[in-house]
Amino acid sequence: MQANTWREALLVLVFLTVATAVIAATGADLVVSSHFYRSGGWPVGERFPWKLLYRLDRYPALAIALFGLCAACYGNSKSSWRPWRRRGIFLVLLLALGPGVVVNGVFKDHWGRPRPREIVQFGGSKQFLHPWQRGIDGQGRSFPCGHGSAAFYLAAPFFIYRRTKPALAGRWLAGGLVFGLLMSYARIAQGGHFLSDILWAWGMVYLTALALSALLLPRGVDVVYLANHGELQEI
């Protein structure tokens, strides 16, 4: 990976670390969740549109990944779609490795952090844990937020267009962040996740996307039109 990619990754890690420390120092995880815990339940999360967002789940992310798979296959036979061979693979791998392996497979399924609705502060029986405190494997699936990671994945095209079409890239980034935050609000309101779970769901997806884009979409790979032959080619 290039030096600027390492710098960007370092900045993201510093931001995640500082933000986590601020959340812990201020007690924001418990404070934010307490606004949604009422009369022994989580009524806000059961209302529209938050319940709808929960049911929407990963379908938008799967739609983008499916487009990426089709585009990558089509790029092998259609010259005008040739650049999408790498881009399509990027979209597929990002969903599989980011929300799939890193968020759900490695951390959420095994980190053991209890959900807000499972801790004693909100009527449960388990102890509150900070995100860096590992709980019992299989007895807590709060860290990080799976729904949030799939929602933040919708910003994936930002990494495809950030160098060639910055305006379009910015719109994808904004859209992915907005959708991710709305989904995250729903999960917090339902007692499913803490604020820090959301933070790290975004961070893990972003860092995975950064690494994959450096490998599959290097700065030297671009699209040029060969005037003499009328073909698109990657260089």
Side-chain angles (χ1 to χ4, degrees):
M1 290 192 292
Q2 297 180 352
N4 58 342
T5 302
W6 286 109
R7 285 195 295 270
E8 185 174 353
L10 180 60
L11 286 174
V12 172
L13 286 172
V14 169
F15 169 74
L16 291 171
T17 302
V18 172
T20 301
V22 171
I23 290 173
T26 59
D29 270 339
L30 294 175
V31 170
V32 172
S33 291
S34 68
H35 289 298
F36 299 99
Y37 181 69
R38 303 172 186 175
S39 303
W42 306 84
V44 176
E46 298 301 314
R47 299 173 188 165
F48 178 85
W50 313 120
K51 192 68 173 182
L52 176 63
L53 280 171
Y54 174 74
R55 290 174 176 168
L56 192 60
D57 199 5
R58 296 161 175 81
Y59 292 114
L62 288 171
I64 291 181
L66 179 60
F67 166 80
L69 178 62
C70 294
C73 294
Y74 193 55
N76 285 322
S77 58
K78 189 73 171 178
S79 61
S80 60
W81 279 72
R82 195 170 299 163
W84 279 96
R85 289 183 299 184
R86 288 173 177 264
R87 297 171 184 175
I89 293 172
F90 166 78
L91 292 175
V92 173
L93 286 181
L94 177 57
L95 181 61
L97 297 179
V101 174
V102 176
V103 171
N104 284 282
V106 175
F107 285 95
K108 185 176 179 180
D109 287 346
H110 302 289
W111 198 249
R113 188 188 195 191
R115 300 179 186 274
R117 58 175 175 256
E118 297 173 333
I119 64 174
V120 294
Q121 288 88 339
F122 302 122
S125 59
K126 298 180 179 179
Q127 179 185 359
F128 168 78
L129 297 177
H130 290 287
W132 62 84
Q133 294 176 306
R134 187 170 183 177
I136 300 174
D137 191 344
Q139 295 191 24
R141 304 183 73 245
S142 186
F143 180 80
C145 177
H147 279 72
S149 67
F152 286 123
Y153 165 84
L154 266 64
F158 162 75
F159 293 90
I160 293 175
Y161 295 118
R162 65 189 301 189
R163 291 191 297 270
T164 57
K165 298 179 180 179
L168 179 60
R171 287 193 287 271
W172 274 106
L173 179 62
L177 287 175
V178 169
F179 186 67
L181 290 173
L182 288 173
M183 182 69 79
S184 300
Y185 183 96
R187 297 303 290 133
I188 293 176
Q190 291 157 2
H193 291 282
F194 293 104
L195 178 61
S196 56
D197 297 327
I198 307 304
L199 172 70
W200 281 91
W202 167 81
M204 290 178 184
V205 173
Y206 192 95
L207 288 171
T208 304
L210 195 60
L212 282 175
S213 64
L215 294 172
L216 295 174
L217 308 170
R219 187 175 298 273
V221 174
D222 222 328
V223 181
V224 297
Y225 185 78
L226 301 183
N228 293 335
H229 301 287
E231 296 179 351
L232 287 170
Q233 179 176 321
E234 294 181 9
I235 60 171

